[in-house]
Amino acid sequence: MAWRKTYDGAEPQRVNKWLASEGVCSRREAEELIANGLVSIDGAVVAEPGRKIERGQTIEVADARGAPAKISVAINKPIGFVSSQPEGDQVPAARLLTKANLIGRADPMPTSRTSLAPLGRLDQDSRGLLLLSEDGVLAKAAIGEDSKLDKEYLVGVRGQINDRKLALLRHGLELDGRKLKPAQIDVVEPWRIRFILNEGRKRQIRRMCELVELEVVDLLRVRIGPLWLGDLPEGKWRALTPAERDALIKQSKGN
C-alpha cells in the first residue's frame, strides 16, 4: 500500500529528511526509494535525492513490493541475558527469539542472520521489557538524543527509604560529573520504588540508589513510552505491531 501525505511545513525540506521524520523510513532508505523511482511529488517522480518538498505539495511513496520487512520485537528479558553485544560466555537476549518462545505470530521470523539491535540498555542482572529491532527510524525514536520517550521501572531495594532519599532521587543527584534530569519517583510498596526516567545513563538506577545508600535487589522495566510489558511471560517475545511502532515514533517527538 502506498504512503501519501501533504507537506505543511513552513519551509521547504529535503524529501529524505521529511520521510525520516514522519517515520516512513530512514534517510538512507529514502534515498534508495528515490533511486528506484518509488517517490513522487504531485504525481511527478522525484529524480534527485536532494529534492525539497514545499508547503502544499503531496508526496507519495509507492509500495516497494519484495522489499524485506523490518523486524522489531518486544522481549520479556530474564536475568542472565545481556541486551548488548555479549562478552566471554555471556548469552545475548536475541537467543530467546525462537519459535517456541514466540507469543502470537511473527512474519517474517528472525533468523541467525538477522541483525537486531537493542533499543536501550537492560543489564544482565535486570529484567523486563526490551526492544530489539533492525528499524533505523524506530531506533532513533527510542534512543536518539532528542527522544521524548520515558521508561518506567519497578525497583526492589534493601535499606531505609525516607523523604530525604526520595527527594535526592527525584532531582538532586549527579553521575560522572553531570546532573541527572528530574525523575518521577514513587514508593509503591515498603521495599519497592517506581522510577520513571527520561534518560538512560549506564546502570543509572543502580548507581542512583547507591548514592542514597539503597541496594537494588530487583529491577524490572515495565514500560517504554506507550508500550507496556503487560502479561508477556518472562523469556517470551512477540512481534511489534505497526500501530505500536507508530505510537513509539509519535511519542518520541513529544506528541
Side-chain angles (χ1 to χ4, degrees):
M1 181 181 296
W3 182 88
R4 183 185 295 105
K5 188 170 183 178
T6 299
Y7 180 65
D8 60 0
E11 300 293 334
Q13 187 170 177
R14 287 174 66 101
V15 168
N16 62 348
K17 182 178 180 181
W18 188 54
L19 290 176
S21 69
E22 289 293 313
V24 177
C25 56
S26 67
R27 293 193 192 190
R28 179 172 294 181
E29 289 167 343
E31 292 172 1
E32 293 177 359
L33 291 169
I34 291 170
N36 291 327
L38 297 173
V39 180
S40 61
I41 294 178
D42 290 342
V45 174
V46 175
E48 298 294 331
R51 170 73 183 274
K52 292 186 177 182
I53 186 170
E54 299 181 1
R55 186 180 182 88
Q57 291 184 322
T58 299
I59 192 168
E60 182 172 320
V61 181
D63 185 6
R65 297 192 181 278
K70 298 289 184 183
I71 297 175
S72 299
V73 305
I75 301 178
N76 185 345
K77 187 190 86 67
I79 291 172
F81 291 80
V82 294
S83 57
S84 55
Q85 188 68 24
E87 298 179 1
D89 58 356
Q90 292 179 336
V91 181
R95 292 267 186 91
L96 295 167
L97 302 181
T98 64
K99 192 170 183 179
N101 289 335
L102 172 63
I103 301 297
R105 295 185 55 200
D107 185 20
M109 277 284 294
T111 70
S112 59
R113 296 185 297 276
T114 307
S115 179
L116 294 173
L119 306 190
R121 298 185 182 96
L122 195 60
D123 299 327
Q124 184 172 349
D125 45 1
S126 301
R127 59 194 182 99
L129 182 60
L130 174 67
L131 295 180
L132 298 178
S133 180
E134 56 181 357
D135 184 334
V137 174
L138 184 59
K140 182 179 180 181
I143 58 177
E145 291 185 2
D146 298 325
S147 176
K148 302 297 190 297
L149 289 181
D150 58 5
K151 284 93 174 175
E152 183 169 338
Y153 305 80
L154 295 178
V155 183
V157 298
R158 183 181 293 121
Q160 182 183 14
I161 300 173
N162 56 42
D163 290 342
R164 181 188 66 84
K165 292 181 180 182
L166 293 174
L168 287 170
L169 289 171
R170 288 180 180 123
H171 47 68
L173 297 177
E174 292 185 1
L175 289 179
D176 305 320
R178 288 192 296 151
K179 191 170 181 62
L180 295 171
K181 293 180 180 179
Q184 296 181 53
I185 307 291
D186 299 290
V187 178
V188 294
E189 295 181 67
W191 58 278
R192 192 184 297 275
I193 303 173
R194 176 187 292 110
F195 282 70
I196 300 178
L197 304 180
N198 287 288
E199 59 186 328
R201 309 271 285 276
K202 187 174 181 180
R203 296 180 68 84
Q204 178 172 338
I205 291 176
R206 295 179 186 278
R207 295 167 69 196
M208 288 173 69
C209 288
E210 287 175 4
L211 290 174
V212 296
E213 299 179 330
L214 293 174
E215 179 187 358
V216 173
V217 296
D218 182 50
L219 195 156
L220 172 68
R221 182 158 63 200
V222 296
R223 180 176 62 84
I224 299 174
L227 186 69
W228 288 87
L229 177 63
D231 58 0
L232 184 64
E234 188 169 275
K236 303 296 184 181
W237 67 281
R238 64 176 182 81
L240 227 58
T241 68
E244 289 171 332
R245 176 188 185 271
D246 292 345
L248 284 162
I249 292 171
K250 181 178 180 181
Q251 195 170 115
S252 75
K253 302 173 185 176
N255 299 329

